[in-house]
Amino acid sequence: MSFLPPSTNGQYQGARAAPWFLALAAALTLTTGAIHSFLPDGGAETIAGLDLGDRRDLVIGVFRWEGASQLALGFGMLAVALRYRTLTPLFLGLVIVERGLMALHGWVLSPPASGHHPPQHYGSLATVALAAVFLALSLRSRRP
């Protein structure tokens, strides 16, 4: 028994561009995960522009926690994009749910009181739209 089961790429029938978009999304997720995990402030001040105040350690800890989750998700997305392409529609759906919830919270349910939106708020809107397009493409069978 090996760590990874055999590849399912030969069974994937959707658009070839969809797994490549998922790979790009994985790379971006891994990048933000690394930033949140390893930047001294987790990107909270330097990128998001947050005033950490007297709860600096708590905010940085939450950013590191999110970074760990992003790294795990990013590696899963990358495995699907490169080796298990039959799962591409599922993972694109998960990207839409994750980024859609981020956008909903960032713009509607709990927008920043300062009015300053970090790059992730804008990126989430774009990612939802693009992921929806690639999800539709991944569900369409290629012509022989």
Side-chain angles (χ1 to χ4, degrees), residues 12-16 89 134-143:
Y12 176 68
Q13 297 298 313
R16 288 184 179 101
F134 284 102
L135 174 59
L137 291 172
S138 74
L139 294 170
R140 292 179 45 190
S141 292
R142 286 186 297 224
R143 292 187 170 91

Side-chain angles (χ1 to χ4, degrees), residues 93-127:
L94 292 173
V95 167
I96 291 168
V97 169
E98 178 205 27
R99 291 297 167 159
L101 288 170
M102 286 180 175
L104 179 66
H105 285 289
W107 292 97
V108 179
L109 299 178
S110 53
S114 68
H116 169 76
H117 288 275
Q120 176 271 329
H121 288 181
Y122 297 97
S124 289
L125 293 172
T127 302

